[in-house]
Structure formats: C-alpha cells, structure tokens
C-alpha cells in the first residue's frame, strides 16, 4: 500500500509527468494520432481530477461516483440512499446533466475548492436549469456519514456527447465506481467497455443491479457475477434491487436499499476499509500511467518524425534549386538566345564565328584601338541580356522549389494542415522577383569591384578605363558563364567561340591567370547570393514548422518522466 510518506515523495514525480503530458503536442494528423490524442486527454483528466488530488490528500473522503446507462435509476438510487431529494429524477432523458456531489456537512471543505475536478465550477442550493455541464452541484446531507461522498454522474451512453464525456471524466475521478445497471441492460456493450477500463486500471467497483424481477434475480445475479469474473472484477460486490414500485416520494423501498446503504456506511466509518479502497484505486491508476504514457510517447515520436520529414522536403527542394542554378551558370545555358545575339552584335558580324582565330585578332585590334582612344562598341544590351538571364534562372528555380515543397507536403502526414494554416507557402514569396533583381544588381556591382581590384597598376587601369569599366565587367560575366555543356547543334560552336573571344579580350588586359581567377570568383559570389536567397525562402517553411506545437525533445522528456514515476512507486 501507499504510505503518506510514499505519497508525498511520489507527488513530485507525478506532477512532473502531468506537466510533460500537458506540453506534449499532437497537432499533426499522422496515422493513429486519434489514439494518442485520446490518451493524452484521458491522462490529463485522471492526473488532474484524481491522482494528484488523492496523493495530496490520502485522508480526504472516499468519493463514490454513481454511474451507469440511461434510465438505470442512478438519481433515484442516490436519493434513496440519503433519503432526500438531492438529485433530480424523472422519465425525461437525459435527467442528470449537472453532476451532483452529496457530502456530509463536515466534509464541505474537501470539495468546495478545486482539489478535485478543478475544471468544474461549484454551485449550491436548489437545482436550476442554468447550471450547465461545466458545473458541480454540492449538496450537504447529514444522512451520509463523514468520510463518504456520492457523485451522481450523467449517463455513460447519453445521447448528448458532452454528457458522455463528462461521465467518463467523473468516473476517472472516482475512488469507487458504483455502477448501476438493470436486469434488461446489464450485458450492454458500452458499460462493459468502461468496466474493462476500470479492471485494467485497478479501480474499485461495486455493482447495483436494479429492477430485477424477483423470479429471475438469482439467475441474473449469477450470470452477472460470471461476467465480472471474466473481466477480472470477481471481488466487485453486487447489490441486487428487485423490481418494485417506488414510494410516494419517488424512492426505492427501504428494505431494497438498506444493504447498500449499510455497506457504504461501513466503508465511511472504517478508516482502514476506506483506505483499502482508496489505495487500491490509486495504485491501479498509478500502475496504468506507464502503459498510457508509452502510447503517448509513441504518438509524440510520430509527430516529431512527421515534422522532420516536412522539414527535409523543404531543405532538399531548395538545395536542389541551388544545384540547378550552379548547373545553369556553368553549362552554357545563359549563353542561349538573347545573350548570344547581343554578343554577336558586340564583336561584329556572324562571319567571325566561322573563323575564330581571325576573329580573335579582330577583337584584339578593337582592344588596341580602345587603348588608343577609339571607343569600343556599347555593352548595354549585352549586360541587360545577361542580367535578365540570371534573374530568370534564379526565379524559375525559386518558384519551382516552392511548388515542389507544396506538392510534397500535401502528400505527407500533417503537411496539408500546415499549408492551410500558412496559405502563402503554396508558392514563392510575393517579393521574390524584386529581391532577385536586387541580388543581380548587387552581384554585378561585385563583378565591377573585381575588375577594379585587378586593374590596379597604371597600364591595366588605362586599358580598363579606355575600354570602359562596365564593358569589361560585362565581358567578365560572359566568360564566367561561357561553358558548352547543355548546348546543342550550332550553339556549341557559337558558345565555344564566345568563350574564346571573350576570354582573349580579358587576357589582353589582365593576363590569363587573373582572368580564370576573376571568372571563378564571379561564379562563386553569384552562388553565394543565390544560396542566401534560397535560405530566406526555405526559412518561411522552417518558421511555419517551428510554430507547430511539437517539440523535438518532448517524447524523451515524457518517457523520462514516466520512468521516474515507475521508479518512485
């Protein structure tokens, strides 16, 4: 049995477990999440309504919850036990909607605060239609001995779902479940499901078999006893109430309720017997915590795994986007179409693509002419074409990554709910285009800084100045992208000629080694800009997942708390 000292030492471990259960979020609709959510609710309810209050007050009155099926006569039974109209009875269903707790006047202090059932407000006095299911009506009666309280609960199979939920909550708060059934309904499925739960959790149970025809009383009582043995409830006493007319006050005949009243009075009067019931139920409740906590731990880990899977999708999508950008700036893709046309205009007619070496000489002549003061052709159109190509590549990959994340999230557990909660995640950020334009401008500024940094000596500075800083910068961008992978047909020759010619122009000014280093730096800086851009885009998904009420460590914290309770028992 649990001693007072044991209860106090265990209280800390149980309270910690309660906190861990409360902080365990299960918001994602993963498979079997319903079982986890139901377990979490049931655990919190029993810990708040029974285990923690009982550990704090082992000497508090024994709470017997009178529960059962619709029309079983629960309220009539309570009124008959205390020989007063304390709970409304009648033929209309549901009769009991506001639970009624009957106690001895000296025991009021145990129930008027939120020691037990803290979620229910306390009301007293005459019953009214406005009490509501979230209230607990307290009724003092000297007919009950000190140390015992009766709680008349709503029907466990009520047509009103809120009543069913409240009935289950009250039963989980009971030291003793006084289950009321009838000769016609004692084998119904719903009450036996709850009786099985009571057996599994070690809850003390007593059975009131009501409205039994006298001629079949022994037969039905024996059959019920057999069913109880099969469910591990062989020690549950059975009190049979024969079918009989009610008194003028609407109560059971005194002789039919006398045995049950005497048994309850004996429990209340015998501190040791009362303690046996309390400790049986408390130890049963504590013993059930580990298995139910395990269910919740499993559900919690499934939540964390689902959250990780969603995060991985976003990470892979934007990592792939960056890889495609890297591929796009090194495979010649940016030299297609408009850029090729503008480069051709820049260096001359298409004839020099047919004779590359001759054309290179012509380009060198143009550089020489530039140094001597002859102005080179304008590079504005070529620069704009390069800028548009880079921006289009970055935008296409960014938008594609957002579409990929949205599509895959809708196929993963919990992903659709996150998207619905964050509608903007279905596509790229609204300002992505504007940010890409700034990115390209910043990158171009960096390329010009490279040219300026390399042209430090007087001779090189003069050549750069003669040819134009912007012009040299545009040609450097072209060289950075001038690879032939991914091009087909005549484009291969054109791009190859482009690479050679552009590189020769720069080599004539800076030297071959410097040109290679400048081109590599230009590509690296562009990729760094792209990586930062996509990291910001991915952050939207990461932040949405961070807002989901699932903590990565919650399963382990819960498992540790459950283990601590087991060790403390």
């Amino acid at each position: 049995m649990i001693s007072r000292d044991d209860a106090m030492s265990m209280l800390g471990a149980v309270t910690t477990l309660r906190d861990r259960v409360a902080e365990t979020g299960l918001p994602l609709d993963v498979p079997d999440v319903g079982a986890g959510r139901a377990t979490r609710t049931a655990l919190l309810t029993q810990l708040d309504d029974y285990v923690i209050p009982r550990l704090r007050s082992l000497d508090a009155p024994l709470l017997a919850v009178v529960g059962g099926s619709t029309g079983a006569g629960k309220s009539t039974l309570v009124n008959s036990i205390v020989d007063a109209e304390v709970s409304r009875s009648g033929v209309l269903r549901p009769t009991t909607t506001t639970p009624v707790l009957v106690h001895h006047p000296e025991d009021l202090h145990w129930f008027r605060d939120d020691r037990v059932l803290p979620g229910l407000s306390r009301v007293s006095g005459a019953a009214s239609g406005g009490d509501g299911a979230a209230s607990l009506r307290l009724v003092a009666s000297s007919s009950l001995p000190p140390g015992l309280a009766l709680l008349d609960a709503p029907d466990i199979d009520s047509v009103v779902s809120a009543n069913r939920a409240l009935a289950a909550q009250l039963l989980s708060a009971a030291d003793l479940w006084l289950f009321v059934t009838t000769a016609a309904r004692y084998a119904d499925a719903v009450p036996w499901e709850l009786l099985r739960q009571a057996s599994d959790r070690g809850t003390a149970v007593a059975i009131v078999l009501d409205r039994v025809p006298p001629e079949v009383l022994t037969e039905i009582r024996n059959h019920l006893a057999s069913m109880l043995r099969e469910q591990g409830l062989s020690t549950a006493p059975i009190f049979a109430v024969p079918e009989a007319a009610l008194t003028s006050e609407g109560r059971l005949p005194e002789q039919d309720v006398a045995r049950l009243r005497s048994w309850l009075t004996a429990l209340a009067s015998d501190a040791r017997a009362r303690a046996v019931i309390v400790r049986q139920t408390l130890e049963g409740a504590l013993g059930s915590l580990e298995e139910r906590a395990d269910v919740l731990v499993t559900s919690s880990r499934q939540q964390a795994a689902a959250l990780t899977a969603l995060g991985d999708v976003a990470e892979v999508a934007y990592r792939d986007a960056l890889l495609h950008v890297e591929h796009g700036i090194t495979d010649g893709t940016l030299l297609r179409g408009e850029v090729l046309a503008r480069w051709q205009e820049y260096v001359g007619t298409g004839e020099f693509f047919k004779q590359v070496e001759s054309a290179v000489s012509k380009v060198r002549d143009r550089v020489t002419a530039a140094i001597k003061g002859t102005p080179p052709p304008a590079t504005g159109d070529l620069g704009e074409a390069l800028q548009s190509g880079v921006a289009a590549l970055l935008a296409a990959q960014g938008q594609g990554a957002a579409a990929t994340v949205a599509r895959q999230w809708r196929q993963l557990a919990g992903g659709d709910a996150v998207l619905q909660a964050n509608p903007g995640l279905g596509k790229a950020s609204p300002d992505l285009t504007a940010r890409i334009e700034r990115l390209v401008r910043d990158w171009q500024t960096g390329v010009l800084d490279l040219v300026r940094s390399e042209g430090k000596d007087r001779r090189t500075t003069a050549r750069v100045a003669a040819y134009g800083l912007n012009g040299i910068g545009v040609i450097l961008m072209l060289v950075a992208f001038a690879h032939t992978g991914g091009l087909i047909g005549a484009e291969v020759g054109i791009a190859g000629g482009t690479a050679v010619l552009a590189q020769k122009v720069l080599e004539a000014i800076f030297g071959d080694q410097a040109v290679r280093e400048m081109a590599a730096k230009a590509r690296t800086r562009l990729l760094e800009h792209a990586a930062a851009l996509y990291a910001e885009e991915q952050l939207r998904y990461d932040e949405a997942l961070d807002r989901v009420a699932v903590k990565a460590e919650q399963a382990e914290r819960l498992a540790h708390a459950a283990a601590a309770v087991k060790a403390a028992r």
Side-chain angles (χ1 to χ4, degrees):
M1 291 187 182
I2 301 174
S3 68
R4 195 179 308 277
D5 290 341
D6 290 339
M8 289 299 99
S9 63
M10 189 176 296
L11 181 61
V14 171
T15 302
T16 299
L17 175 62
R18 188 265 174 212
D19 293 341
R20 297 297 173 259
V21 172
E23 73 183 19
T24 299
L26 305 175
L28 300 177
D29 291 328
V30 302
D32 299 326
V33 69
R37 290 170 179 167
T39 298
R40 178 181 181 275
T41 299
L43 269 172
L44 280 177
T45 298
Q46 190 166 42
L47 289 169
D48 286 344
D49 292 348
Y50 181 70
V51 176
I52 293 176
R54 181 49 82 184
L55 284 172
R56 286 174 176 164
S57 307
L58 285 177
D59 294 333
L62 184 147
L63 179 61
V65 175
V66 183
S69 304
T70 301
K74 299 182 296 298
S75 298
T76 299
L77 179 67
V78 171
N79 292 337
S80 300
I81 291 172
V82 300
D83 196 23
E85 188 75 16
V86 293
S87 186
R88 188 176 53 153
S89 61
V91 296
L92 296 180
R93 300 289 177 258
T95 302
T96 302
T97 55
T98 298
V100 177
L101 192 152
V102 189
H103 59 86
H104 189 276
E106 294 178 3
D107 289 337
L108 174 61
H109 65 283
W110 290 111
F111 302 109
R112 64 185 171 192
D113 59 16
D114 61 355
R115 184 189 68 86
V116 294
L117 300 168
L120 301 180
S121 61
R122 270 50 174 176
V123 295
S124 58
S128 67
D131 290 347
S135 301
L136 177 64
R137 177 166 294 282
L138 301 180
V139 178
S141 173
S142 297
S143 297
L144 278 184
L148 172 68
L150 295 180
L151 200 165
D152 186 12
D155 302 331
I156 59 175
D157 55 357
S158 172
V159 295
V160 181
S161 60
N163 287 346
R164 295 196 304 272
L166 180 57
Q169 177 184 357
L170 298 178
L171 290 172
S172 70
D175 293 306
L176 170 67
W177 181 18
L178 197 58
F179 173 60
V180 184
T181 187
T182 65
R185 304 196 59 185
Y186 72 91
D188 285 0
V190 173
W192 278 99
E193 177 60 31
L194 290 175
L195 284 169
R196 276 189 288 271
Q197 291 181 17
S199 176
D200 292 342
R201 297 176 188 177
T203 303
V205 176
I207 310 295
V208 177
L209 185 59
D210 196 9
R211 300 175 189 165
V212 188
E215 65 273 14
V216 295
L217 191 151
T218 300
E219 179 183 354
I220 291 178
R221 190 185 187 285
N222 289 341
H223 184 226
L224 176 58
S226 175
M227 296 178 68
L228 289 169
R229 283 194 299 271
E230 291 175 358
Q231 299 301 326
L233 294 170
S234 59
T235 60
I238 300 175
F239 300 91
V241 178
E243 188 174 36
L246 299 179
T247 67
S248 59
E249 293 86 4
R251 296 163 202 161
L252 295 170
E254 173 60 26
Q255 67 272 16
D256 293 342
V257 76
R259 179 169 171 260
L260 174 60
R261 184 190 294 120
S262 297
W263 182 74
L264 291 173
T265 301
L267 276 181
S269 303
D270 187 341
R272 181 173 177 79
R274 189 170 68 246
V276 168
I277 294 291
V278 168
R279 285 180 168 84
Q280 174 189 336
T281 300
L282 180 56
E283 288 180 344
L286 290 169
S288 73
L289 294 180
E290 181 182 7
E291 181 178 353
R292 289 187 285 167
D294 285 345
V295 172
L296 195 53
V297 166
T298 298
S299 291
S300 180
R301 286 173 176 157
Q302 290 171 342
Q303 293 281 313
L307 206 63
T308 298
L310 294 174
D312 289 345
V313 164
E315 180 180 353
V316 170
Y318 283 99
R319 185 175 64 206
D320 288 349
L322 184 62
L323 289 174
H324 283 109
V325 168
E326 182 177 9
H327 186 65
I329 66 175
T330 58
D331 68 353
T333 298
L334 292 176
L335 300 183
R336 297 175 184 271
E338 186 72 11
V339 173
L340 285 175
R342 296 298 171 238
W343 172 249
Q344 182 174 347
E345 291 174 1
Y346 181 65
V347 297
T349 67
E351 287 298 318
F352 82 37
F353 290 112
K354 299 177 183 178
Q355 297 180 350
V356 174
E357 290 302 325
S358 174
V360 170
S361 297
K362 292 179 181 179
V363 174
R364 286 174 177 165
D365 291 341
R366 286 170 179 259
V367 175
T368 302
I371 294 172
K372 293 179 178 179
T374 305
T379 58
D381 290 344
L382 177 58
E384 290 176 4
L386 281 168
Q387 178 178 341
S388 297
V390 174
L393 176 62
L394 292 171
Q397 294 304 322
Q399 292 163 357
T404 295
V405 175
R407 182 181 68 255
Q408 294 190 20
W409 274 21
R410 291 189 179 98
Q411 299 170 352
L412 292 175
D416 195 52
V418 179
L419 287 174
Q420 291 180 15
N422 302 271
L425 297 184
K427 54 186 177 181
S429 299
D431 63 344
L432 179 63
T433 299
R435 287 159 55 210
I436 288 175
E437 290 174 353
R438 289 195 300 271
L439 181 157
V440 175
R441 287 196 298 270
D442 291 343
W443 174 68
Q444 288 175 323
T445 299
V447 171
L448 295 181
D449 290 341
L450 278 175
V451 173
R452 192 179 293 109
S453 176
E454 289 293 331
K456 291 178 180 178
D457 63 85
R458 182 177 301 177
R459 179 181 176 189
T460 305
T461 301
R463 291 179 178 179
V464 172
Y467 212 80
L469 180 63
N470 288 339
I472 296 299
V474 169
I475 296 175
L476 177 57
M477 290 181 233
L478 192 74
V479 170
F481 301 143
H483 293 255
T484 59
L487 298 178
I488 59 174
E491 289 180 325
V492 174
I494 295 172
T498 301
V500 172
L501 298 176
Q503 188 156 333
K504 292 300 181 182
V505 170
L506 295 181
E507 287 177 355
I509 301 174
F510 301 105
D512 57 349
Q513 182 61 32
V515 170
R516 284 192 293 271
E517 292 176 357
M518 291 166 66
K521 289 179 181 178
R523 286 193 298 270
T524 298
R525 292 184 181 180
L526 178 57
L527 288 174
E528 290 172 349
H529 284 299
L533 173 74
Y534 293 151
E536 291 177 358
E537 286 292 283
Q538 181 186 334
L539 185 61
R540 299 185 306 141
Y541 299 91
D542 294 341
E543 290 176 343
L545 295 178
D546 287 342
R547 289 191 292 271
V548 176
V550 177
K551 299 179 180 178
E553 70 281 4
Q554 68 181 25
E556 278 57 46
R557 287 163 62 90
L558 178 62
H560 181 75
V565 170
K566 181 180 179 180
R569 289 184 62 213

